[in-house]
Amino acid sequence: MFAYKLLVDERGKRYLLKRNVEKFGTDLGVVDMKGVEEGVELISHKGHKFYLVEPTMFDILKRMKRTVTTLLPKDIGFIIARAGIREGETVVEAGTGSGALTMYLSNAVGKTGKVITYDIRPEFAKVARKNLLKVGAIKKGQRIIGLDEEFDDEGEIEIENGLFNVIQKIGDVREKIDEENVDVIVLDLPDPWNVVENAKKALNSKRGRIVTYLPYIEQVKKTVEKLKEEGFWDIHTYELIEREIEISEKGVRPSTRMIGHTGYITVARVPPKQI
């Protein structure tokens, strides 16, 4: 359960509200939610329909504060599925950005897993921290390793049964990855080829995987060349295109708008030990 609830009006407009909000008003009227649990239809004082439901991670992501352009769900979902990230695994991520991918990685590895997320920019890490707190990926008062700063989370809600499985760090994975025996390393950096050697040392030789996300094909080429040079194998690169389908009384057709190129996703396996 998140620290928020979702109110959706009859037009489909969504409002992400803190759980302690009892009344909320729009141009369609005021909705009284006092003592009401999610999963119900409410009528405003103007007679308009609203739906009160629990938000999904997607709803939180759409409304969270951003410092940089975040990965879209189409890419995030593919990264998790294609890399086979599962319950109990240890994942190292760099850079954190606004924490969008971090949230989904946290969900994927569950309570028995762990996500260690690096960023070199303290100002970005602090914004990500607020977003991660909202979904129960970190605890209230949790510090960012490498940042000599305490956080006042008064007014924030600590989620019951949160996953609390994310560790934030200020650090440059180009210089060093502190962790060992890592299952997956995910790099949203402009120059992941400069991390490949460190990733090779940090990854579990039995099942270690690396994922990179890059906007330009020249970056991909340089990264793949470095992966091959270091003995990585099972290397594949993908691009995903997303287009919604419009369904109406007139018929069914693809939307005229679509999400085209966002980035190239490359997945590879760490070299096995030689015996």
Side-chain angles (χ1 to χ4, degrees):
M1 181 182 292
F2 299 132
Y4 292 83
K5 53 191 176 184
L6 184 67
L7 191 66
V8 185
D9 68 26
E10 59 190 32
R11 303 166 298 193
K13 192 170 183 180
R14 297 163 181 254
Y15 308 92
L16 192 63
L17 310 172
K18 285 190 174 181
R19 298 193 65 82
N20 58 1
V21 173
E22 295 182 345
K23 286 189 177 182
F24 185 76
T26 75
D27 58 312
L28 298 185
V30 176
V31 180
D32 188 349
M33 297 172 285
K34 186 175 182 180
V36 178
E37 293 186 358
E38 293 91 340
V40 298
E41 178 185 297
L42 302 172
I43 305 297
S44 74
H45 82 286
K46 289 185 177 181
H48 293 282
K49 289 183 181 180
F50 285 77
Y51 303 101
L52 182 65
V53 296
E54 289 187 4
T56 64
M57 187 75 76
F58 179 77
D59 297 315
I60 302 286
L61 175 63
K62 292 282 283 185
R63 285 154 186 82
M64 74 181 195
K65 186 174 180 181
R66 292 172 169 81
T67 50
V68 292
T69 302
T70 61
L71 272 73
L72 296 181
K74 71 178 181 72
D75 296 320
I76 292 172
F78 184 81
I79 287 171
I80 291 171
R82 181 60 183 80
I85 299 172
R86 65 183 189 270
E87 172 86 27
E89 291 198 308
T90 298
V91 178
V92 167
E93 175 201 21
T96 312
S98 300
L101 177 57
T102 319
M103 293 178 183
Y104 281 94
L105 291 173
S106 169
N107 257 11
V109 302
K111 281 197 172 185
T112 59
K114 184 167 52 177
V115 178
I116 303 97
T117 181
Y118 286 77
D119 209 304
I120 60 174
R121 299 152 298 190
E123 65 276 18
F124 285 10
K126 287 189 278 188
V127 171
R129 184 185 178 280
K130 291 183 179 180
N131 292 328
L132 294 168
L133 185 60
K134 291 176 182 177
V135 298
I138 64 172
K139 293 184 177 181
K140 287 179 68 174
Q142 184 171 319
R143 301 182 69 166
I144 299 172
I145 296 173
L147 185 62
D148 188 19
E149 183 175 340
E150 295 185 3
F151 296 94
D152 182 7
D153 293 325
E154 187 176 350
E156 296 290 343
I157 301 171
E158 184 163 286
I159 299 170
E160 294 182 15
N161 300 318
L163 293 172
F164 309 132
N165 58 1
V166 172
I167 298 169
Q168 286 185 269
K169 287 187 174 184
I170 301 298
D172 192 343
V173 292
R174 301 171 185 88
E175 297 177 0
K176 184 183 179 184
I177 297 174
D178 296 325
E179 292 68 33
E180 298 177 349
N181 204 33
V182 174
D183 297 305
V184 186
I185 292 176
V186 183
L187 303 174
D188 182 10
L189 303 171
D191 58 338
W193 54 86
N194 288 323
V195 188
V196 169
E197 291 183 38
N198 288 341
K200 183 178 177 180
K201 296 173 185 175
L203 284 166
N204 181 319
S205 61
K206 293 181 180 179
R207 60 179 181 274
R209 294 93 76 199
I210 187 171
V211 183
T212 67
Y213 179 84
L214 293 162
Y216 300 110
I217 201 67
E218 293 84 359
Q219 294 168 299
V220 175
K221 186 173 185 296
K222 195 168 182 178
T223 300
V224 170
E225 287 173 350
K226 183 63 176 177
L227 287 168
K228 289 180 177 179
E229 180 184 320
E230 291 298 323
F232 281 77
W233 62 290
D234 198 18
I235 304 170
H236 301 274
T237 298
Y238 306 88
E239 178 189 34
L240 284 83
I241 307 297
E242 178 183 324
R243 183 163 62 178
E244 188 173 1
I245 303 301
E246 296 176 352
I247 302 173
S248 67
E249 293 180 359
K250 293 180 180 180
V252 180
R253 55 165 288 171
S255 172
T256 54
R257 294 185 178 183
M258 64 183 294
I259 301 175
H261 173 75
T262 48
Y264 298 105
I265 298 167
T266 299
V267 184
R269 291 180 183 269
V270 72
K273 289 181 179 178
Q274 293 183 347
I275 56 173

